[in-house]
Amino acid sequence: MTTPSEVKARLDAERRGAPFLLYRDGAGAQVIVTLDRPLTVGRRPERDVALPWDTEVSRLHAQLEPVGGDWIVVDDGLSSNGTYVNGERVNGRRRLRDGDRLVFGETPVQFRSPADVDTDSTARIKVGGATLPISESQRKVLIALCRPLKDSAYAAPATNKEIADEVHLSVDAVKAHLRVLFERFGLDALPQNSKRARLAAVALVEGIVRQHEF
């Protein structure tokens, strides 16, 4: 489970504003890598993002590069097993967006870009004594997620497609927002089939989503 100190480290990284990578090492410890220059990814210890425990990662697997104000991941044949972003294999270069899920070998890595969130109006909410940032788009996703529960606490939260239709975003964008919310609420270590229900429950119990918003 995500520890309070790990949540604090993530929030501190967000406040600094620079893009960063978030993942867990071979021992399960949280790792945050700030993106402030081009970086290499691979199994060798000398790589900037070294994943020596993952035998599916190539010695030089991929690169991360800044282009203008954005970041891209590059895998133009460097890796044997491929680099994936949101489940799609990268063939060459792929622009990254806040919340994207990269997979190198068998290691998932989340790309965070707080500046992308800041372009959307961001509020602060209290959850369990902690103050967390939440953008207007993330709030809309939360409301849509919780909508089926307005009539019955036993209902299942909305699907990604139902949320996308309500808030007029792509399914991929909804998935990216949910990944950020799972991480921000300390739910990312839960089993996949539990995260959505727990997030909806927390949003309702903490008063983040209120009945009059449905």
Side-chain angles (χ1 to χ4, degrees):
M1 295 294 291
T2 304
T3 66
S5 62
E6 288 176 339
V7 172
K8 181 180 183 301
R10 296 176 185 184
L11 293 175
D12 287 344
E14 290 182 8
R15 292 188 188 102
R16 287 192 290 270
F20 62 91
L21 302 178
L22 178 69
Y23 61 95
R24 291 190 178 275
D25 65 18
Q30 175 176 280
V31 179
I32 294 175
V33 177
T34 300
L35 297 176
D36 54 7
R37 57 186 174 81
L39 302 178
T40 56
V41 180
R43 199 170 70 247
R44 285 187 168 176
E46 62 267 25
R47 302 303 175 209
D48 300 305
V49 180
L51 312 173
W53 63 88
D54 190 336
T55 58
E56 298 300 312
V57 171
S58 298
R59 289 176 295 177
L60 175 58
H61 196 99
Q63 295 173 287
L64 291 155
E65 301 176 355
V67 176
D70 297 315
W71 278 83
I72 62 170
V73 60
V74 182
D75 186 344
D76 50 5
L78 288 174
S79 68
S80 300
N81 295 317
T83 296
Y84 293 80
V85 176
N86 300 330
E88 297 181 1
R89 185 162 183 164
V90 175
N91 294 306
R93 300 153 68 89
R94 171 76 176 260
R95 179 188 173 193
L96 299 176
R97 301 177 184 275
D98 182 60
D100 278 349
R101 182 177 187 267
L102 297 86
V103 176
F104 306 107
E106 295 183 346
T107 302
V109 177
Q110 188 178 58
F111 172 78
R112 292 301 322 281
S113 181
D116 290 350
V117 177
D118 289 344
T119 60
D120 194 0
S121 57
T122 302
R124 298 277 168 176
I125 58 172
K126 288 274 191 181
V127 179
T131 301
L132 307 177
I134 183 169
S135 72
E136 184 61 28
S137 294
Q138 290 163 357
R139 186 177 185 81
K140 289 178 180 177
V141 166
L142 265 182
I143 293 170
L145 176 75
C146 296
R147 190 173 298 282
L149 282 73
K150 67 178 180 179
D151 297 320
S152 171
Y154 298 101
T159 65
N160 291 337
K161 179 65 165 58
E162 290 169 339
I163 298 171
D165 290 343
E166 176 173 333
V167 301
H168 307 295
L169 292 172
S170 69
V171 171
D172 280 347
V174 169
K175 289 179 179 178
H177 281 309
L178 285 173
R179 279 193 294 271
V180 173
L181 289 167
F182 293 148
E183 168 253 305
R184 190 164 286 155
F185 281 70
L187 305 176
D188 51 331
L190 290 177
Q192 191 62 37
N193 60 357
S194 301
K195 292 179 181 179
R196 302 168 69 85
R198 184 68 65 85
L199 178 61
V202 171
L204 291 169
V205 169
E206 296 283 348
I208 300 163
V209 174
R210 302 178 185 276
Q211 285 291 328
H212 72 269
E213 295 181 286
F214 293 132

